[in-house]
Amino acid sequence: MELEYEKQKLKSAAEYYDLLNEQNENSRIVMHDIKRHLNAIKSISGDDAVTEYIDNFIEDFSVNKSVDYCNNPMVNSIVNRYKSVCDRLGVKMNIDIRSADFSFMSEPDITALLDNLLENAVEAAQNTENGFIDFSAFVRKNKYLSIQLTNSVKNIITVKNNRIASSKKSGSIHGTGLKSIKRVVKKYDGEINMKFNEDDMTFSSNVVFEIPRLNYEY
């Protein structure tokens, strides 16, 4: 029953991000057309106040648009969602995934991995003063995808052999979500390393996959 629940959750999440990506693309097209019309109005208005208003509107609207953090639409949809959540909660989220290569993974598996990693990070960081999340993903030595996630935490988390001790205080680390993460890691013969640092009260997850040769040029 737990496995079936997980499969249904992954399917729903993947469908959600597909829809979100489609909506973002449609929004870009609409905004592109709106900008053309506004610039046309600006050019014929001859009114400085109208020109200033239009320029400010376009600038404000552009700030909130989705960002292409990498070349994978699914990854961008997931990261944009959590970046918006962090902005709303006042959690600083630093993102650098420009050189990441997720092409060897299926969309449901990308969703299971990143959605659970980021959800846990956000839930932990939002309960801390000056909460933050550092999220990076990059290719090492032309053959390894390295995913690194570090976030602030409020309470001490006990990690032993990549297992998190069950505790109400560390409830932000969901057991089911962690199982999903480890399932994806195992499926692609990857490795995961989790670490809690009491000195600066941070929790880190480092996931490494070897990119299949068919998906990468040497």
Side-chain angles (χ1 to χ4, degrees):
M1 289 177 65
E2 184 178 346
L3 181 60
E4 287 301 318
Y5 170 76
E6 181 184 344
K7 287 181 178 179
Q8 185 59 44
K9 182 182 177 181
L10 289 177
K11 180 181 178 183
S12 299
E15 290 174 349
Y16 165 78
Y17 284 115
D18 277 335
L19 179 60
L20 185 62
N21 185 57
E22 182 179 349
Q23 290 175 339
N24 287 337
E25 183 61 29
N26 289 336
S27 296
R28 286 175 181 161
I29 296 173
V30 171
M31 189 55 198
H32 175 74
D33 291 340
I34 290 175
K35 283 182 178 180
R36 291 182 60 186
H37 291 300
L38 289 175
N39 284 324
I41 293 172
K42 185 171 66 174
S43 66
I44 63 176
S45 69
D47 189 321
D48 291 339
V50 172
T51 298
E52 183 179 0
Y53 178 84
I54 290 176
D55 287 340
N56 290 335
F57 173 80
I58 292 176
E59 183 179 355
D60 290 342
F61 195 95
S62 297
V63 168
N64 296 317
K65 71 178 182 179
S66 60
V67 178
D68 287 338
Y69 292 101
C70 68
N71 61 4
N72 188 296
M74 177 63 74
V75 174
N76 287 327
S77 294
I78 296 172
V79 177
N80 271 292
R81 177 197 172 194
Y82 282 99
K83 181 63 169 66
S84 296
V85 172
C86 284
D87 289 344
R88 177 167 51 83
L89 295 174
V91 174
K92 184 177 181 180
M93 186 175 183
N94 302 308
I95 305 164
D96 186 359
I97 57 174
R98 290 168 293 178
S99 63
D101 181 2
F102 289 88
S103 60
F104 62 95
M105 297 176 63
S106 69
E107 290 191 347
D109 289 335
I110 291 174
T111 302
L113 180 66
L114 297 184
D115 199 51
N116 282 295
L117 282 172
L118 291 171
E119 181 181 31
N120 286 337
V122 170
E123 290 196 12
Q126 69 175 323
N127 295 317
T128 64
E129 186 177 357
N130 299 320
F132 73 90
I133 298 171
D134 291 334
F135 174 51
S136 64
F138 52 91
V139 174
R140 293 192 294 111
K141 298 180 180 179
N142 288 336
K143 63 184 299 188
Y144 297 104
L145 171 64
S146 178
I147 303 170
Q148 298 179 358
L149 189 68
T150 299
N151 58 271
S152 55
V153 294
K154 184 177 182 179
N155 300 301
I156 292 175
I157 299 174
T158 302
V159 182
K160 187 175 181 180
N161 298 326
N162 276 326
R163 294 180 180 273
I164 299 174
S166 178
S167 168
K168 289 184 179 180
K169 289 185 178 181
S170 61
S172 59
I173 311 298
H174 298 300
T176 303
L178 188 54
K179 287 180 181 178
S180 294
I181 293 169
K182 289 185 174 181
R183 178 191 62 79
V184 176
V185 172
K186 182 178 179 180
K187 178 178 178 180
Y188 293 92
D189 296 322
E191 294 183 3
I192 182 171
N193 181 49
M194 296 179 294
K195 182 175 67 174
F196 168 71
N197 189 329
E198 189 172 356
D199 293 336
D200 58 6
M201 292 298 290
T202 59
F203 181 80
S204 300
S205 298
N206 184 22
V207 184
V208 178
F209 298 100
E210 183 174 357
I211 303 173
R213 289 179 176 271
L214 293 177
N215 292 82
Y216 211 82
E217 294 182 3
Y218 286 84

